[in-house]
Amino acid sequence: MRTGFPSIGPRTAALLAVGVAMVVAAVVLAYESRGQTLKGDEWDYAIRLSAQSLGHALFDPPPDKYLMPVPLLLYKGLFEVFGIGSYAPYRAVGIALVILCAGLFFALARRRVGDLLAIPPTILLLFFGSASEVVVTSLRIPSQIAIAAGLGMLVALDRRTLRGDVVACVLLAISLLSHPEAAAFAAAAAVFVLFRPSPERWRRSWVFGAPLALFGTLYLTQGESGTTNPALDGLNGVVSFIGESLVSLTAALSGVSGLITGPAYDSPLGWIALGLLLGAVAVALARRSKPPTPGFWAMLAALAVLLASTAIAPVTLFRTPETQRYIYPEAILLLLLLVEVARAARLHRGVAFAVTGVLAAGLVSNLADLRTNADQQRAVSDLVKAELGALELARGHADPDFLPFGPRFAALGTKLLLVTPPGAGGQGWAMRASEYFVIARDFGSPADSPHELDDLAGAPAGQAADLVLAGGLGLRLRPASPEPPPASRPRPTVKSLSEGTARTSGSCLRLSPRNGQLRAAITLPPGGVWLTGSRQELGVSRFFSLPAVRLQPLRDSHAAHLRIPRDSSSLPWTLWVDSQRGLRLCGP
């Protein structure tokens, strides 16, 4: 009996399912990546595009940096049109590239295993939380462009027409000029073309030869980019690294990583998962009725090139087998390789259901990873915005070479050390204050305003802001006259006093220990404080609810000044005292 509703075929149903998944992914990724800002290498792009001419920025990268003119041209447009005050335009581009890569994967997979079986891996790639550095941030837009262009190249090669080959050649060039991961797609293109019958294989070798020649010409003009990773012990080290990478990749796709604490390659369960996968592939290939397809060899070559090239990357690009930015393209290539295996083996329905179940388990695990890693990325962004807000308060006082991202103060005995790890917000890069101020002049800034800094209270971002502000202002105790300032100066006030006593006299506050202990928090007047007792360790903070910065004691002076320039924040500084000796504090 006809119901009046048109029937929906498998192809239409698959397209609808993938389309709905893409819309849901766009909403989920936009929500989970809220509140972010530029991080890590994105600041490097901003520096290069603000401090250099466009041609120099595109084709003359600094030492140990990639040649990637295509993404930098995109960033130039985004910086000029939208600035960097809001991260929304960059997230829109990143999310669009995630969806595009998944869509191109689906187009390749459905031609080989059918519409329905291509759905599960496509949805997994849309929510691939194991590669959250790619999926929930826009930090890896260059890599995403290279992957999208490489997948588009594979789709074009499938057409086996002159027009398709021209498009494939152009897309491969774009991929190679976006990120070194494109070498894997160049290997796949070479295999696809060389598997064609003679003389077509030679007549069309320009499809991969011309982009490689262009990239090689540009690359050879850049000089050395670093030394081989010393952690790898020759060929054995490379092989071990590739094996560990495959374990991490298998665990991420199957959801096994959710059952493991720590790296998957350190767990027997991770190696068991890889063994089961390799066993299934071996059985499937043994059951095939035809030789492996050119696509199988192409994807095998691509995956091998990607794994090997990342294993021997220069030491400045050191990675672990679980580095997220590489797991994403590795996952795409491994899934395409498995698609070729399934195509050759013609999977039974029961096997197809089992594969779908494994990928569904992987989806559940990756959704959990996506949320966890998105929270971490927001936390990093909060630190970056707070650090930049503090640097804005220190404008005019900070040394041009001061590193605002990630400074950490640590007291070792009585010595104050400024530790500047090689990371912008923990992302493996650093930026000078002078470079930031040029970027802010040209493209704006995502820095927290003074009011937003005032609201940080006890948040970790408040501690980060205090560290940067103290470092930018160069806060330290300096020798001072033993005579206190005039009585007309504003007096420090007691914020809290858990041990000891306090009494006032004119513009001064005298603190004394009780039972041999003095613990107090003192609100400092504008401009700083004059004090005696400078031979003991003191701490200061402003936006953090605990001591954030320790002041190095003065050994050769009894009286000291702590001078603090005034700025637009309404919050006063707090001096933290934890001592067994008394202290006298007076207005600046």
Side-chain angles (χ1 to χ4, degrees):
M1 180 176 179
R2 299 179 64 88
T3 61
F5 293 99
S7 60
I8 298 178
R11 180 179 182 182
T12 303
L15 292 175
L16 285 174
V18 171
V20 170
M22 287 179 172
V23 173
V24 173
V27 174
V28 170
L29 295 181
Y31 175 76
E32 293 293 346
S33 58
R34 67 194 183 279
Q36 293 189 35
T37 190
L38 269 66
K39 298 175 290 295
D41 286 339
E42 291 170 309
W43 287 106
D44 173 54
Y45 310 149
I47 290 174
R48 291 159 66 176
L49 291 169
S50 63
Q52 304 173 353
S53 65
L54 183 58
H56 187 66
L58 296 182
F59 296 103
D60 189 15
D64 301 321
K65 296 294 182 180
Y66 297 139
L67 175 68
M68 47 184 196
V70 173
L72 285 177
L73 193 60
L74 172 64
Y75 272 107
K76 177 65 172 179
L78 292 173
F79 289 156
E80 294 290 350
V81 174
F82 299 105
I84 62 175
S86 170
Y87 201 54
Y90 305 90
R91 281 308 298 136
V93 172
I95 292 171
L97 286 169
V98 170
I99 293 173
L100 177 59
C101 288
L104 291 169
F105 172 88
F106 179 73
L108 289 165
R110 62 183 290 270
R111 294 178 184 178
R112 289 155 173 80
V113 295
D115 298 291
L116 296 181
L117 196 55
I119 295 175
T122 301
I123 294 177
L124 177 59
L125 290 175
L126 288 170
F127 302 93
F128 196 44
S130 296
S132 294
E133 190 176 302
V134 178
V135 177
V136 298
T137 78
S138 296
L139 182 60
R140 302 303 170 192
I141 281 179
S143 172
Q144 289 178 280
I145 294 175
I147 296 168
L151 292 173
M153 177 270 298
L154 296 177
V155 172
L157 281 180
D158 270 355
R159 300 179 64 87
R160 294 287 298 272
T161 64
L162 177 59
R163 179 179 296 179
D165 286 351
V166 170
V167 171
C169 181
V170 173
L171 289 175
L172 181 56
I174 292 173
S175 184
L176 286 168
L177 295 176
S178 298
H179 196 276
E181 289 172 352
F185 292 99
V191 172
F192 267 120
V193 173
L194 293 177
F195 259 91
R196 292 180 181 180
S198 184
E200 181 186 358
R201 69 182 65 167
W202 308 118
R203 292 176 178 174
R204 297 293 175 87
S205 60
W206 51 265
V207 172
F208 62 89
L212 284 173
L214 172 63
F215 177 78
T217 301
L218 293 173
Y219 179 80
L220 289 175
T221 64
Q222 305 307 315
E224 298 295 328
S225 61
T227 58
T228 303
N229 187 346
L232 301 178
D233 183 18
L235 181 60
N236 291 335
V238 173
V239 173
S240 297
F241 190 93
I242 291 175
E244 292 173 351
S245 296
L246 288 173
V247 170
S248 301
L249 187 55
T250 304
L253 290 172
S254 64
V256 169
S257 59
L259 305 175
I260 299 173
T261 301
Y265 55 83
D266 284 342
S267 169
L269 188 58
W271 288 97
I272 291 172
L274 177 60
L276 291 174
L277 174 64
L278 295 178
V281 170
V283 170
L285 292 177
R287 291 172 52 86
R288 72 186 189 280
S289 58
K290 298 179 181 180
T293 63
F296 171 83
W297 296 112
M299 292 303 103
L300 183 61
L303 184 58
V305 167
L306 181 58
L307 290 172
S309 61
T310 51
I312 61 175
V315 64
T316 52
L317 307 176
F318 178 73
R319 57 151 291 190
T320 70
E322 291 190 319
T323 300
Q324 293 184 4
R325 63 181 178 273
Y326 294 111
I327 280 187
Y328 184 73
E330 289 169 1
I332 291 176
L333 293 178
L334 178 59
L335 288 172
L336 286 175
L337 177 62
L338 296 178
V339 163
E340 294 289 350
V341 172
R343 177 188 189 184
R346 298 184 180 277
L347 297 182
H348 295 299
R349 180 173 297 180
V351 176
F353 280 132
V355 170
T356 301
V358 171
L359 294 177
L363 177 62
V364 173
S365 175
N366 275 275
L367 283 172
D369 287 341
L370 189 150
R371 297 200 65 182
T372 299
N373 292 329
D375 290 341
Q376 294 174 351
Q377 292 295 336
R378 281 196 300 275
V380 169
S381 292
D382 288 343
L383 292 177
V384 171
K385 289 184 285 188
E387 289 169 339
L388 293 180
L391 185 60
E392 288 287 352
L393 293 178
R395 183 187 285 267
H397 301 281
D399 186 282
D401 290 329
F402 175 68
L403 299 173
F405 282 170
R408 297 295 180 262
F409 293 80
L412 298 180
T414 59
K415 185 177 181 181
L416 181 67
L417 300 179
L418 172 59
V419 183
T420 51
Q427 294 293 314
W429 196 79
M431 176 177 65
R432 296 184 181 90
S434 58
E435 294 170 328
Y436 163 74
F437 289 129
V438 172
I439 294 172
R441 178 199 66 197
D442 292 344
F443 306 132
S445 173
D448 279 344
S449 66
H451 177 71
E452 289 170 326
L453 289 174
D454 293 349
D455 291 339
L456 291 177
Q463 183 181 26
D466 281 344
L467 293 170
V468 171
L469 185 54
L473 296 177
L475 292 191
R476 66 179 185 272
L477 296 175
R478 305 170 188 268
S481 167
E483 294 298 323
S488 59
R489 302 296 173 88
R491 183 177 61 239
T493 58
V494 175
K495 182 177 182 179
S496 66
L497 183 63
S498 58
E499 297 284 349
T501 61
R503 60 187 179 87
T504 61
S505 174
S507 64
C508 295
L509 175 68
R510 185 178 295 275
L511 302 175
S512 302
R514 174 182 293 172
N515 297 325
Q517 190 62 51
L518 173 61
R519 290 192 180 94
I522 307 301
T523 300
L524 300 182
V529 69
W530 176 95
L531 58 91
T532 60
S534 60
R535 297 180 184 179
Q536 55 188 302
E537 289 190 2
L538 305 170
V540 292
S541 67
R542 191 180 196 182
F543 305 111
F544 194 51
S545 56
L546 294 172
V549 180
R550 293 198 176 277
L551 300 175
Q552 182 178 349
L554 296 179
R555 294 305 181 189
D556 300 325
S557 177
H558 181 68
H561 275 303
L562 176 64
R563 300 184 186 277
I564 305 177
R566 301 173 186 242
D567 53 47
S568 55
S569 174
S570 61
L571 281 186
W573 284 84
T574 298
L575 180 72
W576 300 84
V577 182
D578 188 349
S579 175
Q580 296 178 347
R581 292 179 289 180
L583 195 67
R584 185 185 183 193
L585 306 167
C586 302

